[in-house]
Amino acid sequence: MTTTGRQLVSTLSADGTMVLELEETTFPEPTGNQVLVKMEAAPINPSDLFLMTTGANLENADYQTGKVTMQVAPQVAKGQSARHGKPQPVGNEGAGEVIAAGDGEQAQALLGQRVACVPGNAFSEYAIADAMMCLPLGDHSSEEGASSFVNPMTALGFVETAKREGHDAIIHAAAASNLGQMLNRICQEDGIGLVNIVRKQEQVDLLKSQGATHVVNSSGDDYEAKLADAIRATGAYLGFDPIGGGQTSDTCLRAMERVAASQMTEYSRYGSNQQKKMYIYGRLELAPTILTPSYGFAWTVSGWLLMPFLGSCDMQTLMGLRKRVHDGLTTTFASSYKTRVNLEEMLTKDAMMDYAQMSTGEKYLVTP
Amino acid sequence: MTTTGRQLVSTLSADGTMVLELEETTFPEPTGNQVLVKMEAAPINPSDLFLMTTGANLENADYQTGKVTMQVAPQVAKGQSARHGKPQPVGNEGAGEVIAAGDGEQAQALLGQRVACVPGNAFSEYAIADAMMCLPLGDHSSEEGASSFVNPMTALGFVETAKREGHDAIIHAAAASNLGQMLNRICQEDGIGLVNIVRKQEQVDLLKSQGATHVVNSSGDDYEAKLADAIRATGAYLGFDPIGGGQTSDTCLRAMERVAASQMTEYSRYGSNQQKKMYIYGRLELAPTILTPSYGFAWTVSGWLLMPFLGSCDMQTLMGLRKRVHDGLTTTFASSYKTRVNLEEMLTKDAMMDYAQMSTGEKYLVTP
């Protein structure tokens, strides 16, 4: 028995035309440890937008019901040449009800349950998911469980990465995001020092009201000095930057070096020996990353991505992370949404131009 | 008994005035495992120029015999605030005759010998050096031994770093330098794949005449495609970049990703999982490093510096590296110089404006 429903598909052509379209799709009967999930809620994360809005001219796109046709900037289209002409389903994660299951024991155990899942086509009426990767939600709603993978695992991954590399304090940029708020709660629970960088006073207030000790406003005149103060207080020489483009990471490295250099007893032309590291884990800005020659040679900038991180964990660690997310679904790992849209509504001009901005605290939830 | 002689000193003031001056200095009697070396030859390396010419207006400097006064660009002067008003001796390495030694056994063993040393004030008539760090030159001249530390150890350090990190091929930018020629010989001896990046056809010819297999000319129209070809042929996903500013490292990462992406069977918005890494080990260009968002998230850019690398080696490894340099002083590790100058001549306008360009293959040797 197969099931039919609409799913969102993104197709980029070599000429730079991108079509986002709700496509009538036939979902096969799940086999083995697969389950078929009737999707009820899925967040629009920045990582989803890469296939939906990155580099696209949304102002002048052609918006039809269930189909948007737009032009993508040539260099962006060129950079994605590997997907030219190949339709890509969209939507990393979401939650819904398991309405069919393969023969496998794990799959059968989920039949009839509400689960969070990571199918890769979450903006859809149905999705085939791997039972291993599903999180049973118990009495929680699909909305409560929709964001239980990407952000929670990423935030936990930062702390795990810090511990692995011998750090007990970290910097986080764009820290008022759902992810940032989770990280703030995790760091408090785990006793990890956290320097939150935000852009607005109201975001300072928000994080402080949630118990944050160090929140630095990058719009303030004395930003770099205050950032250095917070680094001095916490010893944070490792940071995570979702912005990527511009000088966010550069500024953090410079502030780290300012603190390290002030603790040197002797001048060195090569800068301090304090190792300083920034992970870029997103591209909220597509502009090039700028690194000025102002912090010697003891520094590293590196990409950070969730799936390779998870791949580097042993099974016991992974299970521990999942259990922690499950237990804290409505507390530590709670998400909030600005707006709910259905599959048609997510393809309107108003909606797309709004969520494409990826403004902090304005996340959309798709409820097919 | 003390010894008196002239040594070159660099003093930067808060107002951006930098003075390079030959200063009459009294050298104390060596104690313990110290030796006093009568300096005979010292190379002017890029790392020395940081204290001598970086950011300085050499065209309009005031040149007196043994004293040059110049203005340094404000942002460069600011970045070196830790040395404002503190005279810094100049000259990492050189060679000469040990004319006095401390009581220590190692020091006494060197008395009367010609040695290479790393005193930090090599542009001087005399220098106090640590016997542990001296390399006895036997029948070799001081000129042959003058560059036996910085370049040889750096080139060997690259190969050692590559091996540690599991690579058997590397990329080297500005590869026609003395250092690059050494690296070319070392990689041939060790069976390490090497992609040499140079800027001129004559440098291609030079390295090819020295047995290099892969030499790519960055001035060629098809530079990136040829670089990718060489990466494909060698599997070089680790590189060393002495330029630092601009897009040298970015171009290497992009070419690595081009090769890795061509070997993927399925499209990923996050790029390939092939880890790509560039080490920046110099700043021939002071402009910011530009990293474009064109190679996913599996990449790292990091500073590389000789002394921390050496500090990470155990004694046995260090001794092995030293022995290799000693045995190959006039072969694998031979250096060549464009010009010889004495201490006064190195402070003339013609000389300074020439060596400040750090042109490949135009190294100066100071013969006090």
Side-chain angles (χ1 to χ4, degrees), chain B residues 181-204:
Chain B
Q181 294 178 46
M182 281 181 201
L183 186 61
N184 181 36
R185 292 187 287 262
I186 292 167
C187 286
Q188 289 175 54
E189 291 172 11
D190 291 12
I192 299 287
L194 177 64
V195 177
N196 297 279
I197 299 175
V198 299
R199 284 187 305 181
K200 299 174 185 170
Q201 184 57 43
E202 67 204 60
Q203 295 168 339
V204 175

PDB file of all heavy atoms in Angstrom, chain B residues 181-204:
ATOM      1  N   GLN B 181      62.282  25.559  -1.999  1.00  0.00           N
ATOM      2  CA  GLN B 181      63.215  24.654  -2.672  1.00  0.00           C
ATOM      3  C   GLN B 181      63.649  23.527  -1.739  1.00  0.00           C
ATOM      4  O   GLN B 181      63.794  22.379  -2.145  1.00  0.00           O
ATOM      5  CB  GLN B 181      64.425  25.435  -3.197  1.00  0.00           C
ATOM      6  CG  GLN B 181      64.041  26.418  -4.319  1.00  0.00           C
ATOM      7  CD  GLN B 181      65.239  27.232  -4.798  1.00  0.00           C
ATOM      8  OE1 GLN B 181      66.314  26.705  -5.028  1.00  0.00           O
ATOM      9  NE2 GLN B 181      65.035  28.539  -4.949  1.00  0.00           N
ATOM     10  N   MET B 182      63.879  23.884  -0.461  1.00  0.00           N
ATOM     11  CA  MET B 182      64.200  22.840   0.524  1.00  0.00           C
ATOM     12  C   MET B 182      63.056  21.847   0.639  1.00  0.00           C
ATOM     13  O   MET B 182      63.262  20.625   0.651  1.00  0.00           O
ATOM     14  CB  MET B 182      64.401  23.466   1.909  1.00  0.00           C
ATOM     15  CG  MET B 182      65.733  24.123   2.122  1.00  0.00           C
ATOM     16  SD  MET B 182      65.826  24.783   3.807  1.00  0.00           S
ATOM     17  CE  MET B 182      67.143  25.990   3.528  1.00  0.00           C
ATOM     18  N   LEU B 183      61.832  22.382   0.739  1.00  0.00           N
ATOM     19  CA  LEU B 183      60.666  21.525   0.909  1.00  0.00           C
ATOM     20  C   LEU B 183      60.533  20.580  -0.286  1.00  0.00           C
ATOM     21  O   LEU B 183      60.207  19.388  -0.120  1.00  0.00           O
ATOM     22  CB  LEU B 183      59.406  22.384   1.054  1.00  0.00           C
ATOM     23  CG  LEU B 183      58.112  21.648   1.389  1.00  0.00           C
ATOM     24  CD1 LEU B 183      58.224  20.930   2.732  1.00  0.00           C
ATOM     25  CD2 LEU B 183      56.933  22.616   1.405  1.00  0.00           C
ATOM     26  N   ASN B 184      60.811  21.104  -1.465  1.00  0.00           N
ATOM     27  CA  ASN B 184      60.763  20.290  -2.682  1.00  0.00           C
ATOM     28  C   ASN B 184      61.738  19.117  -2.585  1.00  0.00           C
ATOM     29  O   ASN B 184      61.405  17.979  -2.906  1.00  0.00           O
ATOM     30  CB  ASN B 184      61.090  21.193  -3.887  1.00  0.00           C
ATOM     31  CG  ASN B 184      61.033  20.456  -5.206  1.00  0.00           C
ATOM     32  OD1 ASN B 184      60.203  19.573  -5.387  1.00  0.00           O
ATOM     33  ND2 ASN B 184      61.930  20.817  -6.116  1.00  0.00           N
ATOM     34  N   ARG B 185      62.948  19.409  -2.086  1.00  0.00           N
ATOM     35  CA  ARG B 185      63.938  18.329  -1.954  1.00  0.00           C
ATOM     36  C   ARG B 185      63.517  17.326  -0.866  1.00  0.00           C
ATOM     37  O   ARG B 185      63.633  16.104  -1.039  1.00  0.00           O
ATOM     38  CB  ARG B 185      65.317  18.915  -1.662  1.00  0.00           C
ATOM     39  CG  ARG B 185      65.887  19.705  -2.859  1.00  0.00           C
ATOM     40  CD  ARG B 185      67.329  20.152  -2.637  1.00  0.00           C
ATOM     41  NE  ARG B 185      67.464  21.241  -1.687  1.00  0.00           N
ATOM     42  CZ  ARG B 185      67.589  22.534  -2.009  1.00  0.00           C
ATOM     43  NH1 ARG B 185      67.600  22.913  -3.284  1.00  0.00           N
ATOM     44  NH2 ARG B 185      67.719  23.454  -1.075  1.00  0.00           N
ATOM     45  N   ILE B 186      63.022  17.854   0.261  1.00  0.00           N
ATOM     46  CA  ILE B 186      62.608  16.969   1.371  1.00  0.00           C
ATOM     47  C   ILE B 186      61.476  16.040   0.922  1.00  0.00           C
ATOM     48  O   ILE B 186      61.493  14.844   1.193  1.00  0.00           O
ATOM     49  CB  ILE B 186      62.136  17.813   2.583  1.00  0.00           C
ATOM     50  CG1 ILE B 186      63.319  18.570   3.187  1.00  0.00           C
ATOM     51  CG2 ILE B 186      61.474  16.925   3.641  1.00  0.00           C
ATOM     52  CD1 ILE B 186      62.902  19.655   4.173  1.00  0.00           C
ATOM     53  N   CYS B 187      60.488  16.611   0.228  1.00  0.00           N
ATOM     54  CA  CYS B 187      59.337  15.792  -0.190  1.00  0.00           C
ATOM     55  C   CYS B 187      59.761  14.701  -1.161  1.00  0.00           C
ATOM     56  O   CYS B 187      59.251  13.584  -1.111  1.00  0.00           O
ATOM     57  CB  CYS B 187      58.244  16.677  -0.799  1.00  0.00           C
ATOM     58  SG  CYS B 187      57.352  17.650   0.446  1.00  0.00           S
ATOM     59  N   GLN B 188      60.721  15.022  -2.042  1.00  0.00           N
ATOM     60  CA  GLN B 188      61.225  13.983  -2.938  1.00  0.00           C
ATOM     61  C   GLN B 188      61.925  12.887  -2.151  1.00  0.00           C
ATOM     62  O   GLN B 188      61.729  11.699  -2.408  1.00  0.00           O
ATOM     63  CB  GLN B 188      62.180  14.584  -3.977  1.00  0.00           C
ATOM     64  CG  GLN B 188      61.451  15.446  -5.017  1.00  0.00           C
ATOM     65  CD  GLN B 188      62.414  16.140  -5.959  1.00  0.00           C
ATOM     66  OE1 GLN B 188      63.244  15.513  -6.586  1.00  0.00           O
ATOM     67  NE2 GLN B 188      62.305  17.460  -6.047  1.00  0.00           N
ATOM     68  N   GLU B 189      62.733  13.292  -1.148  1.00  0.00           N
ATOM     69  CA  GLU B 189      63.442  12.299  -0.332  1.00  0.00           C
ATOM     70  C   GLU B 189      62.467  11.424   0.456  1.00  0.00           C
ATOM     71  O   GLU B 189      62.687  10.228   0.631  1.00  0.00           O
ATOM     72  CB  GLU B 189      64.399  13.005   0.638  1.00  0.00           C
ATOM     73  CG  GLU B 189      65.586  13.674  -0.065  1.00  0.00           C
ATOM     74  CD  GLU B 189      66.425  14.536   0.888  1.00  0.00           C
ATOM     75  OE1 GLU B 189      66.219  14.457   2.123  1.00  0.00           O
ATOM     76  OE2 GLU B 189      67.288  15.296   0.392  1.00  0.00           O
ATOM     77  N   ASP B 190      61.367  12.041   0.932  1.00  0.00           N
ATOM     78  CA  ASP B 190      60.445  11.323   1.825  1.00  0.00           C
ATOM     79  C   ASP B 190      59.255  10.701   1.107  1.00  0.00           C
ATOM     80  O   ASP B 190      58.399  10.083   1.747  1.00  0.00           O
ATOM     81  CB  ASP B 190      59.915  12.273   2.915  1.00  0.00           C
ATOM     82  CG  ASP B 190      60.999  12.664   3.905  1.00  0.00           C
ATOM     83  OD1 ASP B 190      62.184  12.396   3.624  1.00  0.00           O
ATOM     84  OD2 ASP B 190      60.661  13.227   4.971  1.00  0.00           O
ATOM     85  N   GLY B 191      59.154  10.901  -0.206  1.00  0.00           N
ATOM     86  CA  GLY B 191      58.009  10.353  -0.933  1.00  0.00           C
ATOM     87  C   GLY B 191      56.694  11.028  -0.594  1.00  0.00           C
ATOM     88  O   GLY B 191      55.636  10.396  -0.620  1.00  0.00           O
ATOM     89  N   ILE B 192      56.748  12.299  -0.249  1.00  0.00           N
ATOM     90  CA  ILE B 192      55.537  13.083   0.034  1.00  0.00           C
ATOM     91  C   ILE B 192      55.139  13.836  -1.242  1.00  0.00           C
ATOM     92  O   ILE B 192      55.984  14.486  -1.861  1.00  0.00           O
ATOM     93  CB  ILE B 192      55.808  14.105   1.168  1.00  0.00           C
ATOM     94  CG1 ILE B 192      56.197  13.399   2.470  1.00  0.00           C
ATOM     95  CG2 ILE B 192      54.613  15.041   1.366  1.00  0.00           C
ATOM     96  CD1 ILE B 192      55.044  12.713   3.159  1.00  0.00           C
ATOM     97  N   GLY B 193      53.865  13.739  -1.626  1.00  0.00           N
ATOM     98  CA  GLY B 193      53.397  14.497  -2.786  1.00  0.00           C
ATOM     99  C   GLY B 193      53.436  15.989  -2.512  1.00  0.00           C
ATOM    100  O   GLY B 193      53.119  16.416  -1.403  1.00  0.00           O
ATOM    101  N   LEU B 194      53.853  16.781  -3.510  1.00  0.00           N
ATOM    102  CA  LEU B 194      53.966  18.226  -3.286  1.00  0.00           C
ATOM    103  C   LEU B 194      53.399  18.980  -4.481  1.00  0.00           C
ATOM    104  O   LEU B 194      53.799  18.742  -5.623  1.00  0.00           O
ATOM    105  CB  LEU B 194      55.435  18.611  -3.066  1.00  0.00           C
ATOM    106  CG  LEU B 194      55.729  20.102  -2.881  1.00  0.00           C
ATOM    107  CD1 LEU B 194      55.057  20.645  -1.613  1.00  0.00           C
ATOM    108  CD2 LEU B 194      57.241  20.361  -2.803  1.00  0.00           C
ATOM    109  N   VAL B 195      52.457  19.877  -4.186  1.00  0.00           N
ATOM    110  CA  VAL B 195      51.934  20.781  -5.208  1.00  0.00           C
ATOM    111  C   VAL B 195      52.559  22.148  -4.959  1.00  0.00           C
ATOM    112  O   VAL B 195      52.285  22.799  -3.941  1.00  0.00           O
ATOM    113  CB  VAL B 195      50.399  20.881  -5.137  1.00  0.00           C
ATOM    114  CG1 VAL B 195      49.878  21.882  -6.157  1.00  0.00           C
ATOM    115  CG2 VAL B 195      49.760  19.515  -5.340  1.00  0.00           C
ATOM    116  N   ASN B 196      53.429  22.574  -5.864  1.00  0.00           N
ATOM    117  CA  ASN B 196      54.117  23.859  -5.721  1.00  0.00           C
ATOM    118  C   ASN B 196      53.326  24.950  -6.437  1.00  0.00           C
ATOM    119  O   ASN B 196      53.038  24.826  -7.623  1.00  0.00           O
ATOM    120  CB  ASN B 196      55.505  23.793  -6.359  1.00  0.00           C
ATOM    121  CG  ASN B 196      56.420  22.797  -5.681  1.00  0.00           C
ATOM    122  OD1 ASN B 196      57.015  23.079  -4.649  1.00  0.00           O
ATOM    123  ND2 ASN B 196      56.521  21.600  -6.268  1.00  0.00           N
ATOM    124  N   ILE B 197      53.007  26.041  -5.731  1.00  0.00           N
ATOM    125  CA  ILE B 197      52.362  27.188  -6.372  1.00  0.00           C
ATOM    126  C   ILE B 197      53.387  28.311  -6.481  1.00  0.00           C
ATOM    127  O   ILE B 197      54.005  28.707  -5.480  1.00  0.00           O
ATOM    128  CB  ILE B 197      51.152  27.684  -5.561  1.00  0.00           C
ATOM    129  CG1 ILE B 197      50.102  26.568  -5.442  1.00  0.00           C
ATOM    130  CG2 ILE B 197      50.529  28.921  -6.209  1.00  0.00           C
ATOM    131  CD1 ILE B 197      48.931  26.934  -4.547  1.00  0.00           C
ATOM    132  N   VAL B 198      53.613  28.806  -7.699  1.00  0.00           N
ATOM    133  CA  VAL B 198      54.540  29.917  -7.919  1.00  0.00           C
ATOM    134  C   VAL B 198      53.845  30.972  -8.774  1.00  0.00           C
ATOM    135  O   VAL B 198      52.714  30.770  -9.226  1.00  0.00           O
ATOM    136  CB  VAL B 198      55.839  29.431  -8.605  1.00  0.00           C
ATOM    137  CG1 VAL B 198      56.556  28.406  -7.732  1.00  0.00           C
ATOM    138  CG2 VAL B 198      55.523  28.838  -9.981  1.00  0.00           C
ATOM    139  N   ARG B 199      54.551  32.114  -8.993  1.00  0.00           N
ATOM    140  CA  ARG B 199      53.891  33.195  -9.718  1.00  0.00           C
ATOM    141  C   ARG B 199      54.440  33.449 -11.113  1.00  0.00           C
ATOM    142  O   ARG B 199      53.910  34.240 -11.867  1.00  0.00           O
ATOM    143  CB  ARG B 199      54.004  34.500  -8.909  1.00  0.00           C
ATOM    144  CG  ARG B 199      53.075  34.559  -7.726  1.00  0.00           C
ATOM    145  CD  ARG B 199      53.122  35.919  -7.091  1.00  0.00           C
ATOM    146  NE  ARG B 199      54.505  36.287  -6.741  1.00  0.00           N
ATOM    147  CZ  ARG B 199      54.842  37.427  -6.159  1.00  0.00           C
ATOM    148  NH1 ARG B 199      53.914  38.330  -5.875  1.00  0.00           N
ATOM    149  NH2 ARG B 199      56.096  37.684  -5.853  1.00  0.00           N
ATOM    150  N   LYS B 200      55.585  32.834 -11.429  1.00  0.00           N
ATOM    151  CA  LYS B 200      56.243  33.126 -12.702  1.00  0.00           C
ATOM    152  C   LYS B 200      56.704  31.857 -13.397  1.00  0.00           C
ATOM    153  O   LYS B 200      57.056  30.871 -12.746  1.00  0.00           O
ATOM    154  CB  LYS B 200      57.480  34.007 -12.469  1.00  0.00           C
ATOM    155  CG  LYS B 200      57.192  35.352 -11.847  1.00  0.00           C
ATOM    156  CD  LYS B 200      58.509  36.063 -11.537  1.00  0.00           C
ATOM    157  CE  LYS B 200      58.261  37.375 -10.804  1.00  0.00           C
ATOM    158  NZ  LYS B 200      59.507  37.965 -10.281  1.00  0.00           N
ATOM    159  N   GLN B 201      56.770  31.919 -14.711  1.00  0.00           N
ATOM    160  CA  GLN B 201      57.205  30.767 -15.491  1.00  0.00           C
ATOM    161  C   GLN B 201      58.635  30.367 -15.125  1.00  0.00           C
ATOM    162  O   GLN B 201      58.958  29.176 -15.046  1.00  0.00           O
ATOM    163  CB  GLN B 201      57.112  31.073 -17.000  1.00  0.00           C
ATOM    164  CG  GLN B 201      57.469  29.888 -17.888  1.00  0.00           C
ATOM    165  CD  GLN B 201      56.610  28.658 -17.612  1.00  0.00           C
ATOM    166  OE1 GLN B 201      55.401  28.766 -17.439  1.00  0.00           O
ATOM    167  NE2 GLN B 201      57.234  27.480 -17.541  1.00  0.00           N
ATOM    168  N   GLU B 202      59.500  31.379 -14.857  1.00  0.00           N
ATOM    169  CA  GLU B 202      60.884  31.025 -14.538  1.00  0.00           C
ATOM    170  C   GLU B 202      60.971  30.250 -13.222  1.00  0.00           C
ATOM    171  O   GLU B 202      61.889  29.458 -13.007  1.00  0.00           O
ATOM    172  CB  GLU B 202      61.750  32.298 -14.491  1.00  0.00           C
ATOM    173  CG  GLU B 202      61.407  33.231 -13.355  1.00  0.00           C
ATOM    174  CD  GLU B 202      61.810  34.689 -13.625  1.00  0.00           C
ATOM    175  OE1 GLU B 202      61.307  35.257 -14.618  1.00  0.00           O
ATOM    176  OE2 GLU B 202      62.611  35.232 -12.851  1.00  0.00           O
ATOM    177  N   GLN B 203      59.979  30.485 -12.329  1.00  0.00           N
ATOM    178  CA  GLN B 203      59.960  29.723 -11.078  1.00  0.00           C
ATOM    179  C   GLN B 203      59.452  28.302 -11.319  1.00  0.00           C
ATOM    180  O   GLN B 203      59.892  27.358 -10.655  1.00  0.00           O
ATOM    181  CB  GLN B 203      59.079  30.454 -10.049  1.00  0.00           C
ATOM    182  CG  GLN B 203      59.667  31.810  -9.647  1.00  0.00           C
ATOM    183  CD  GLN B 203      58.693  32.679  -8.875  1.00  0.00           C
ATOM    184  OE1 GLN B 203      57.477  32.499  -8.939  1.00  0.00           O
ATOM    185  NE2 GLN B 203      59.224  33.641  -8.123  1.00  0.00           N
ATOM    186  N   VAL B 204      58.542  28.166 -12.281  1.00  0.00           N
ATOM    187  CA  VAL B 204      58.116  26.822 -12.697  1.00  0.00           C
ATOM    188  C   VAL B 204      59.348  26.056 -13.180  1.00  0.00           C
ATOM    189  O   VAL B 204      59.615  24.930 -12.747  1.00  0.00           O
ATOM    190  CB  VAL B 204      57.068  26.888 -13.833  1.00  0.00           C
ATOM    191  CG1 VAL B 204      56.734  25.478 -14.333  1.00  0.00           C
ATOM    192  CG2 VAL B 204      55.806  27.613 -13.371  1.00  0.00           C
TER     193      VAL B 204
END
